[in-house]
Amino acid sequence: MKKRLVAMGLTAVMAMSLLVGCGSGGSNNTSSETPAKDETKKSGYRVAYIARAQSDSFAAWLANEIMAEAGEYDDITLDVFDGQADDEKENTAIENAISSKYDAIIVQPNNGEAQRPYVEKVVQNGIIAITTNARIDGIEGASSVDADPYKQAAVNATLALEQIPENARVVVLNGPSGNFHADERRKAWQAEFFDKRPDVKIVAEDFANWNKDEAMALMEDWVIAHGEIDAIISMNDNMAAGALEVVAGKPGYEDIFVYGVDGTAEALLLIQEGKMTATCLQSAIDLSELILDTAHRLLTGEEKQIDTDIAAPLITKDNVDEYIKIYKERGLITE
């Protein structure tokens, strides 16, 4: 039976629910309208989550998981806002959250350095600040919940050392320039793979900005310009899936190696089908649980500052089924 990707439909949900913001507490409210006051609800904390972009499949997945996890806390009301992959819009959303006097503001940066001064304003206004996916380092008084992007790429690069053939021709898809996760993953590939495999030639490399369509456009050009390509090295799954879609079914690309990061539902199914080689799980499930736990501990005064990471497990054909099972249990993949 053909499997249906619920996760890839999340962007449509996000488009509706994030334009203005959606409240969630004991239950999730996905309406853009202000929810009616619930007199029986316990007084608690107001938390704003500023999402990077609903058009990014991982960002959409993370925002939905955060909304679901917030529902487990009866003293937290969560509002989610869409940065629309635009620094100006994201910064405006942060400023609006400050003006609205939220108790905590969680920021998923579009461009860490562009958001840095605005997160600093959060701290200066006495509001709890948390940066996530990717963290913004060096903001005194701010906390962070993230994954280690160097490790995420390094587990793929170590595998690729053994798999990619001698004198291979590869293409590289990068995330946004200046993005902490994008830059660190590229550094890891350089140090853990390219520096150790001087025989491998990068025939093309460019920024696809986490975007599937941009990756497809680049790959279409690269196939025409360079012909034989032995591997696609991508800094996330969304770009990897886009590039792979271009060469799917084309003669000469049946054995292409494809590496990504995130462990999205789409990537897991591609690995199960033998079309994608490996990914590193950046679990939005684990991340959301840790984000809300961190926010709650800071809000209640249990801790003053927290900087923590989730794990970075490698997913290949050997273990992909166990992760697909988890996704099925959460309704992210259905038969």
Side-chain angles (χ1 to χ4, degrees), residues 51-320:
R52 179 174 63 236
Q54 59 87 12
S55 59
D56 177 324
S57 61
F58 181 81
W61 177 27
L62 178 58
N64 276 270
E65 291 293 341
I66 286 176
M67 286 190 284
E69 184 63 21
E72 299 298 316
Y73 292 82
D74 61 3
D75 59 350
I76 286 180
T77 298
L78 177 77
D79 293 316
V80 181
F81 303 92
D82 182 14
Q84 301 179 50
D86 183 295
D87 287 335
E88 184 176 348
K89 290 178 180 177
E90 180 154 3
N91 294 339
T92 298
I94 296 170
E95 287 191 312
N96 289 341
I98 294 171
S99 298
S100 296
K101 301 185 185 303
Y102 279 89
D103 298 300
I105 300 173
I106 304 164
V107 176
Q108 181 193 29
N110 181 58
N111 175 345
E113 290 310 302
Q115 276 74 69
R116 179 182 294 276
Y118 294 87
V119 177
E120 289 173 344
K121 287 183 184 180
V122 175
V123 176
Q124 291 162 7
N125 278 269
I127 298 170
I128 290 169
I130 302 171
T131 59
T132 188
N133 187 245
R135 67 165 44 92
I136 305 175
D137 280 325
I139 299 179
E140 186 175 354
S143 295
S144 64
V145 180
D146 204 4
D148 185 331
Y150 191 98
K151 287 182 180 178
Q152 290 174 331
V155 294
N156 274 304
T158 300
L159 179 65
L161 281 174
E162 304 172 359
Q163 292 182 325
I164 293 181
E166 188 176 0
N167 300 318
R169 295 159 54 85
V170 308
V171 295
V172 179
L173 291 161
N174 291 314
S177 177
N179 179 278
F180 175 63
H181 274 217
D183 292 348
E184 288 298 304
R185 290 172 191 171
R186 184 61 182 86
K187 287 178 185 176
W189 270 103
Q190 188 64 45
E192 307 297 337
F193 180 76
F194 291 114
D195 289 350
K196 298 176 181 180
R197 289 289 306 273
D199 59 294
V200 174
K201 181 180 180 181
I202 299 175
V203 297
E205 178 171 5
D206 210 335
F207 300 97
N209 302 306
W210 306 137
N211 188 280
K212 189 174 187 177
D213 290 339
E214 290 185 38
M216 290 179 69
L218 288 171
M219 193 66 182
E220 286 170 353
D221 291 342
W222 293 344
V223 167
I224 294 170
H226 304 290
E228 180 187 349
I229 297 171
D230 298 298
I232 298 167
I233 293 172
S234 176
M235 302 307 123
N236 84 338
D237 289 342
N238 207 34
M239 298 185 295
L244 186 54
E245 192 169 320
V246 172
V247 298
K250 289 184 181 292
Y253 293 94
E254 298 89 349
D255 299 321
I256 193 168
F257 293 92
V258 185
Y259 305 89
V261 172
D262 282 337
T264 62
E266 181 179 28
L268 297 194
L269 293 180
L270 289 170
I271 290 172
Q272 187 183 55
E273 294 165 6
K275 297 176 181 178
M276 187 166 166
T277 310
T279 186
C280 176
L281 179 63
Q282 179 170 251
S283 173
I285 300 168
D286 294 344
L287 200 54
S288 64
E289 291 175 354
L290 196 54
I291 288 168
L292 266 296
D293 178 69
T294 295
H296 195 260
R297 284 190 284 156
L298 293 169
L299 286 164
T300 58
E302 182 180 336
E303 296 192 46
K304 297 300 182 184
Q305 183 169 344
I306 300 171
D307 295 288
T308 186
D309 287 336
I310 59 172
L314 180 68
I315 302 176
T316 69
K317 62 180 181 181
D318 295 329
N319 63 352
V320 69

